[in-house]
Amino acid sequence: GAAAVKDAGGVIEMHHGSHEEKVVLINLVNDMTLEPIEDDQRFIVDGWAAGKFDLDVPKFCVAAAATVEMLGGPKKAKIIIP
């Protein structure tokens, strides 16, 4: 994961504090990353990026949503499409 992102020129950002996300946003718009909004906590998954690393996009998105659920996060997801 992290090594592949760094090798591709990406950056890993570590966020601190409690998770208070209200919704999971699964973004499928190529080459677009949604910016966090401090007053409206959202867990953002750039599903389109999985394809750049030759990952299975649906499996990646399901794994991300399952991770959020295991962390006690929101049970509501929105899919952003082009």
Side-chain angles (χ1 to χ4, degrees):
V5 170
K6 289 178 183 176
D7 289 346
V11 176
I12 304 296
E13 294 180 357
M14 297 301 293
H15 297 276
H16 303 282
S18 62
H19 285 275
E20 297 179 15
E21 292 87 353
K22 298 175 187 127
V23 65
V24 176
L25 297 181
I26 299 175
N27 176 25
L28 299 177
V29 180
N30 283 333
D31 300 318
M32 182 183 89
T33 297
L34 301 171
E35 292 294 325
I37 299 173
E38 187 174 346
D39 296 337
D40 187 21
Q41 293 278 330
R42 312 170 299 168
F43 189 92
I44 300 169
V45 177
D46 284 327
W48 61 267
K52 299 234 181 221
F53 297 101
D54 294 324
L55 300 174
D56 182 292
V57 174
K59 285 183 181 179
F60 175 79
C61 292
V62 167
T67 300
V68 170
E69 187 172 340
M70 286 187 296
L71 291 171
K75 307 285 192 268
K76 184 164 118 178
K78 293 182 182 179
I79 300 174
I80 311 299
I81 59 173

